[in-house]
Amino acid sequence: MANPILDPNAPAFTRRYMNLADPRLGAKALFASDEFFAPKERMLDPQPAVFIPGKYDDHGKWMDGWETRRKRTTGHDYCVVRLARPGVIHGVDLDTSHFTGNFPPAASLEACYAEGDVPEDSADWQIIVLAMTLQGNQHHYVEVNDARPFTHLRVNLYPDGGLARLRVYGQPKRDWARIERGGLVDLAAIENGAYLVAANNQHFGPASQMLMPGRGVNMGDGWETRRRREPGNDWAIVALAQPGLIRKIEVDTAHFKGNFPDRCSLQAARVTGGTDDSLITQAMFWPVLLNEQKLQMDHVHSFEVEPASLGPITHVRFNIFPDGGVSRLRLWGELA
């Protein structure tokens, strides 16, 4: 099965928003009604599910996901997941990769907002995905239209079976009123609510990974384009978490050695109105925030910028020349 992040048929929300169910960011499977064949934690693994022929354990066939035993009583199986950040959910992927005769015929999702680690018995669970039919060995992408922030999910399987992966794409909620004025905040951080609008090529790695916390763990943890065989350059457009005045830019090429870009530059604008799709053409003509800069392999590059000429911005176009891989992009700025 294709990696959903790079799956050309996956909806835009899978590339645009962070996975709020990513355990690397703090998400956790808290409780499952049953996990006889495969543990609930496996369902949140950031890597695509794999199938290993001939691999068995004490409980039977080893499966890469969460799998319950065959239910011989009434009711259904469920699992409660604490999201990495409280956030607004824009879409989910219920992935049954490699589950063929053992996938659930149907599933639904509920969500709640709870202050503690574990929701109280009185938690107000809201249905965000109505019970839907599932197929074996495929991704089920479902858009969610609910502006409320949630902290926990309950995945219901009807009546039992296996789910390879759960992805929950959304925007974290931050209390911006508590940010000290004049202090610098990374306005390109996905955990602050920034997101990828578009990128011209993401052959080896999704551009949204540049916005993830921490340094990249390997060459797969960043944005990498194919080798460019025509004129021009590769680019990615990022919507900032909040409008701001950019003071400092960091471009990290960690782990990219024979394939880092030769140079990079940034254009920026304050955008009001229009759609994300309409920005792709506009961005070519945005004013320059950072002139072309030479890059090195496996290195954190820091650039100070004077934002006065552009004023507060909401979006940037990050250009790499001609192609290659970048691990992280940080845009430190003051809130406008």
Side-chain angles (χ1 to χ4, degrees):
M1 294 294 287
N3 181 338
I5 304 174
L6 303 176
D7 176 0
N9 301 315
F13 65 70
T14 61
R15 293 178 290 276
R16 192 165 281 171
Y17 303 113
M18 75 179 275
N19 174 20
L20 294 168
D22 192 330
R24 295 171 298 183
L25 304 177
K28 190 177 180 187
L30 299 176
F31 175 80
S33 57
D34 187 275
E35 46 185 332
F36 183 84
F37 283 116
K40 59 190 181 299
E41 290 80 11
R42 239 175 246 167
M43 174 176 69
L44 304 184
D45 188 325
Q47 295 304 313
V50 297
F51 184 79
I52 304 176
K55 183 173 180 178
Y56 289 83
D57 59 22
D58 291 344
H59 291 263
K61 180 73 186 80
W62 184 93
M63 290 299 288
D64 193 6
W66 166 47
E67 186 184 2
T68 70
R69 73 186 84 202
R70 297 186 188 216
K71 206 160 188 65
R72 303 305 190 203
T73 56
T74 56
H76 68 275
D77 286 321
Y78 64 92
C79 177
V80 175
V81 174
R82 186 193 70 214
L83 300 178
R85 306 277 189 281
V88 176
I89 298 167
H90 294 299
V92 299
D93 176 15
L94 298 166
D95 176 9
T96 57
S97 289
H98 313 298
F99 286 89
T100 52
N102 50 352
F103 63 94
S108 72
L109 283 178
E110 298 167 276
C112 76
Y113 193 97
E115 293 295 343
D117 192 43
V118 178
E120 296 177 353
D121 293 341
S122 60
D124 180 21
W125 289 96
Q126 302 285 328
I127 296 172
I128 60 166
V129 175
L130 292 164
M132 60 178 286
T133 302
L134 299 185
Q135 307 296 327
N137 195 33
Q138 75 176 47
H139 294 276
H140 303 79
Y141 300 111
V142 187
E143 199 162 326
V144 175
N145 292 304
D146 195 317
R148 294 172 292 187
F150 295 111
T151 58
H152 293 75
L153 277 193
R154 186 159 60 199
V155 188
N156 300 303
L157 307 182
Y158 304 105
D160 57 38
L163 194 62
R165 293 292 186 265
L166 171 70
R167 303 283 188 247
V168 183
Y169 297 99
Q171 279 180 289
K173 277 307 225 196
R174 259 200 97 157
D175 184 359
W176 292 100
R178 299 175 71 172
I179 301 288
E180 189 180 322
R181 289 289 152 175
L184 294 186
V185 61
D186 181 5
L187 296 173
I190 208 164
E191 59 185 337
N192 287 335
Y195 66 88
L196 177 78
V197 173
N200 73 303
N201 188 272
Q202 305 178 76
H203 188 87
F204 293 112
S208 58
Q209 289 190 156
M210 290 192 297
L211 315 181
M212 289 284 276
R215 290 198 80 192
V217 294
N218 56 36
M219 206 171 78
D221 187 10
W223 172 40
E224 187 184 358
T225 67
R226 65 176 173 82
R227 295 185 187 221
R228 193 170 186 86
R229 305 303 193 197
E230 60 280 330
N233 68 281
D234 292 328
W235 52 264
I237 298 169
V238 175
L240 303 186
Q242 290 282 303
L245 294 158
I246 303 302
R247 299 280 181 196
K248 189 174 135 191
I249 295 163
E250 283 177 24
V251 177
D252 185 359
T253 54
H255 309 292
F256 290 100
K257 296 174 182 174
N259 52 352
F260 64 97
D262 182 63
R263 307 175 309 287
C264 76
S265 74
L266 275 153
Q267 294 163 269
R270 182 166 193 140
V271 175
T272 52
T275 63
D276 281 352
D277 291 336
S278 71
L279 296 182
I280 294 173
T281 306
Q282 291 178 37
M284 291 192 287
F285 307 104
W286 288 348
V288 172
L289 176 67
L290 179 72
N291 287 311
E292 275 188 40
Q293 304 288 332
K294 194 82 174 153
L295 297 179
Q296 305 171 43
M297 70 175 182
D298 197 21
H299 183 73
V300 179
H301 309 75
S302 285
F303 309 105
E304 304 281 333
V305 288
E306 186 46 66
S309 58
L310 293 187
I313 60 167
T314 58
H315 291 70
V316 297
R317 175 174 144 136
F318 178 50
N319 299 298
I320 56 173
F321 301 92
D323 57 28
V326 172
S327 179
R328 295 292 186 268
L329 173 68
R330 303 271 179 250
L331 300 173
W332 296 95
E334 298 169 31
L335 294 182

